[in-house]
């Protein structure tokens, strides 16, 4: 693999861009590997990369039923942050953010991580106090955060609704300055290229249709391209988790599949250089501006179980009204596209990176709204769990049996209602 560099760019510019090689190899599957990773989203790709890079396990196949990044990892609104509150999440997401900060250099691929800040608006003293508690926990864990009053918010984001008649009168905001956005495709492609260069076989159009077991442990998978054997198999298939867990005989998992929509407007001149977010009552809204100029935004999940990768009108109108509450200027631009992804919603809103009851079979799931930011940390922890057959300290609480022991990691305090997280 050619290293990407300024010199390469210059050289290829002079030679008509004819000297680039494909970013990753396209091998046929071998009959057996040391490890199989199912799912070519960010989590699967990052896991394969860190297995090879950190643990020296390079005889790895990553199996993807479609094309890499065709799932949620290429469909999301790309917000990256580590402003988490509950033990189990705080250290994990901060570890992930630190990996983001060096990711482009590590992968030799520009993932366009832009630390433009993440501003959480508040409208009532109650919301301010809740954010203050979050702030205190973050600061105690060495994570950055700062409170802005109304005037400071207005200076930073002048285009919000600061009028006296505003439905949601802005009191202030809670800023994480190190947070931001990244380019989702680039993250998938960067991990795929770097993993492939270390020897990982990235196999697209390869759907896992069944599991092979031997003497009570996992022994391989059946796919539309034949059987592939491995003594260790990790699964990171997001919205398809319940389906594959059923095929593997894991039983019913505490995960539901819901869809989440996203929206992008026509491109406009630079308008917003941070991520703005709020939650108020049922309303939930987040927005940023992409490098191409489109306003990228979203809100709540559709609220009922589905495997459709398109959304429905009620949430469409709900998100539009949430947008108009704080940013009325948006009403004057045209919507370009709308789409959805299948979310793996867990019962407490927090993920699983864990061994399962079946020896050799590992689970990565339950990412809800928040798995894009988790990609580096999740891959890093899942690779450790698979390589050592035990979790790293950072993901030791992200287990499947936590509900049985009353150790929910309920970040938003909604209880066991996936659609509310
Ligand atoms: C609209 C939207 C907005 C979002 N916004 C954000 C955000 O701003 N910030 C954030 O942190 N998170 C966000 N998320 C969540 C985030 O995108 C996901 O949590 C994350 O991308 C999940 O990554 P993954 O690798 O687990 O899953 P995916 O990227 O979905 O990858 C799973 C892969 O498994 C493959 N697969 C399924 N079944 C099989 C099979 N049988 N055999 C082989 N392969 C299979 C699928 O084809 C898919 O490619 C958003 C999600 C959506 C949908």
């Amino acid at each position: 693999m050619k290293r990407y560099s300024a010199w390469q760019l210059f050289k290829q510019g002079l030679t008509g861009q004819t000297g680039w090689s494909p970013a990753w190899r396209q091998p046929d599957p071998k009959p057996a590997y040391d490890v199989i990773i199912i799912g070519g989203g960010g989590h699967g790709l990052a896991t394969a990369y860190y297995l090879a890079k950190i643990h020296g396990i390079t005889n790895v196949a990553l199996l993807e039923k479609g094309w890499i990044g065709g799932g949620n990892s290429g469909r999301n609104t790309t917000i990256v942050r580590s402003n988490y509150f509950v033990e189990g999440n705080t250290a994990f997401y901060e570890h992930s953010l630190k990996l983001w900060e060096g990711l482009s250099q590590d992968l030799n691929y520009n993932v366009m991580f832009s630390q433009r800040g993440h501003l959480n608006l508040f409208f009532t003293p109650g919301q301010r106090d809740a954010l203050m508690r979050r702030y205190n926990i973050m600061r105690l864990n060495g994570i950055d955060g700062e409170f802005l009053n109304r005037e400071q918010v207005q200076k930073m984001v002048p285009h919000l609704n600061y009028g006296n008649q505003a439905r949601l009168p802005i009191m202030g905001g809670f800023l994480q300055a190190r947070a931001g956005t990244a380019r989702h495709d680039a993250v998938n492609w960067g991990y795929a290229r770097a993993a492939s260069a270390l020897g990982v076989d990235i196999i697209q159009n390869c759907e896992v249709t069944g599991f092979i077991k031997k003497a009570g442990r996992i022994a391989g998978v059946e796919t539309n391209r034949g059987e592939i054997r491995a003594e260790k198999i990790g699964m990171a298939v997001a919205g398809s988790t319940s389906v594959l867990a059923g095929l593997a005989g894991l039983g019913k998992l505490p995960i539901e599949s819901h869809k989440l929509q996203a929206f992008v407007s026509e491109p406009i001149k630079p308008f917003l250089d941070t991520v703005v977010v709020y939650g108020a009552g049922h309303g939930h809204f987040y927005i940023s501006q992409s490098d191409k100029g489109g306003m990228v935004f979203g809100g709540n999940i559709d609220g009922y179980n589905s495997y459709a990768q398109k959304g429905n009108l009620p949430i469409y109108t709900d998100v539009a009204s949430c947008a108009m509450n704080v940013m009325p200027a948006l009403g004057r631009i045209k919507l370009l596209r709308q789409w959805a992804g299948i979310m793996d919603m867990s019962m407490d809103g927090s993920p699983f990176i864990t061994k399962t009851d079946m020896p050799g079979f590992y689970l990565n799931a339950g990412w809800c709204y928040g798995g894009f930011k988790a990609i580096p940390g999740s891959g890093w922890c899942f690779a450790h769990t698979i390589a050592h057959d035990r979790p790293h300290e950072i993901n030791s609480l992200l287990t499947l049996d936590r509900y049985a022991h009353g150790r929910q990691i309920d970040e938003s305090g909604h209880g066991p209602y996936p659609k509310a997280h």
Side-chain angles (χ1 to χ4, degrees):
M1 182 189 78
K2 270 199 182 76
R3 250 191 97 69
Y4 293 157
S5 64
W7 163 241
Q8 273 297 336
L9 266 181
F10 177 68
K11 194 172 141 198
Q12 297 299 331
L14 292 180
T15 54
Q17 311 290 346
T18 51
W20 298 113
S21 46
W24 56 87
R25 297 172 293 109
Q26 308 255 12
D28 287 324
K30 294 189 289 190
Y33 290 87
D34 292 339
V35 178
I36 291 173
I37 302 296
I38 311 171
H43 291 252
L45 291 162
T47 305
Y49 170 67
Y50 292 117
L51 274 172
K53 183 181 174 203
I54 299 179
H55 305 284
I57 303 173
T58 56
N59 188 21
V60 176
L62 178 133
L63 310 182
E64 165 54 49
K65 77 172 174 187
W67 65 94
I68 63 162
N72 295 342
S73 299
R75 292 171 174 268
N76 63 84
T77 46
T78 78
I79 299 169
V80 175
R81 58 186 169 87
S82 67
N83 56 353
Y84 281 76
F85 179 57
V86 178
E87 190 186 1
N89 282 340
T90 316
F92 170 76
Y93 283 100
E94 176 60 8
H95 178 60
S96 197
L97 182 53
K98 285 193 173 130
L99 290 171
W100 275 107
E101 287 173 323
L103 196 58
S104 291
Q105 289 75 15
D106 185 23
L107 299 180
N108 179 230
Y109 201 101
N110 185 2
V111 300
M112 298 167 72
F113 181 44
S114 160
Q115 291 180 287
R116 59 185 65 183
H118 176 275
L119 181 66
N120 210 323
L121 301 174
F122 54 86
F123 313 106
T124 66
Q127 286 182 325
R128 182 199 53 207
D129 293 352
L131 285 169
M132 183 61 83
R133 289 178 67 211
R134 183 173 296 267
Y135 165 83
N136 286 331
I137 292 288
M138 287 167 62
R139 297 311 307 250
L140 284 170
N141 283 280
I143 304 169
D144 71 305
E146 53 194 286
F147 263 83
L148 307 186
N149 62 27
R150 180 185 159 92
E151 287 68 38
Q152 289 167 311
V153 171
Q154 187 159 11
K155 197 165 169 212
M156 188 173 174
V157 192
H159 308 295
L160 300 179
N161 188 357
Y162 299 96
N164 291 333
Q165 302 305 318
R167 182 170 172 210
L168 297 172
I170 296 167
M171 279 183 73
F174 175 45
L175 176 71
Q176 186 181 24
R178 284 166 59 237
T181 58
R183 170 79 197 274
H184 45 23
D185 295 328
V187 177
N188 294 303
W189 298 335
Y191 270 119
R193 174 173 172 271
S196 172
L198 293 173
V200 172
D201 282 358
I202 310 275
I203 304 166
Q204 301 180 84
N205 300 312
C206 184
E207 178 171 2
V208 171
T209 53
F211 290 88
I212 305 164
K213 293 175 207 163
K214 200 173 158 193
R217 61 172 293 137
I218 200 82
V221 290
E222 290 156 8
T223 78
N224 58 348
R225 296 175 69 174
E227 282 185 9
I228 310 175
R229 302 261 163 181
E231 292 202 349
K232 289 186 172 183
I233 297 181
M235 182 169 94
V237 294
S240 304
T241 300
S242 307
V243 176
L244 282 186
L247 288 177
L250 284 189
K252 202 164 159 45
L253 296 183
I255 290 177
E256 289 185 6
S257 297
H258 287 262
K259 60 194 164 186
L260 176 67
Q261 303 190 48
F263 308 82
V264 66
S265 76
E266 61 183 333
I268 55 174
K269 285 184 180 173
F271 174 74
L272 180 67
D273 62 359
T274 188
V275 180
V276 173
V277 181
Y278 79 82
H282 180 67
H284 180 201
F285 182 67
Y286 36 93
I287 187 163
S288 64
Q289 186 166 21
S290 78
D291 293 321
K292 287 191 285 188
M295 304 302 295
V296 180
F297 53 96
N300 280 318
I301 56 176
D302 270 25
Y304 54 89
N305 305 131
S306 172
Y307 289 104
Q309 296 206 87
K310 57 183 185 179
N312 281 311
L313 195 59
I315 286 293
Y316 199 108
T317 52
D318 182 62
V319 171
S321 71
C322 286
M324 294 301 287
N325 282 339
V326 292
M327 210 179 257
L330 279 182
R332 300 183 58 193
I333 57 175
K334 292 191 185 105
L335 197 62
L336 194 64
R337 277 198 313 279
Q338 162 274 354
W339 65 93
I342 315 166
M343 317 290 298
D344 39 338
M345 304 297 292
S346 66
M347 295 296 144
D348 57 1
S350 291
F352 308 101
I353 307 178
T354 184
K355 295 169 65 170
T356 67
D357 287 342
M358 191 189 308
F361 195 65
Y362 305 86
L363 176 73
N364 178 312
W367 293 101
C368 306
Y369 289 71
F372 181 70
K373 66 183 75 65
I375 285 174
S378 160
W380 194 96
C381 289
F382 201 35
H384 180 102
T385 306
I386 294 171
H388 298 283
D389 197 36
R390 63 181 153 74
H392 189 273
E393 193 191 333
I394 295 176
N395 64 307
S396 58
L397 298 180
L398 304 179
T399 57
L400 260 180
D401 65 357
R402 63 178 181 254
Y403 304 118
H405 300 289
R407 292 196 313 257
Q408 298 91 314
I409 307 176
D410 190 353
E411 188 70 31
S412 50
H414 288 310
Y417 303 101
K419 67 178 182 327
H421 284 285

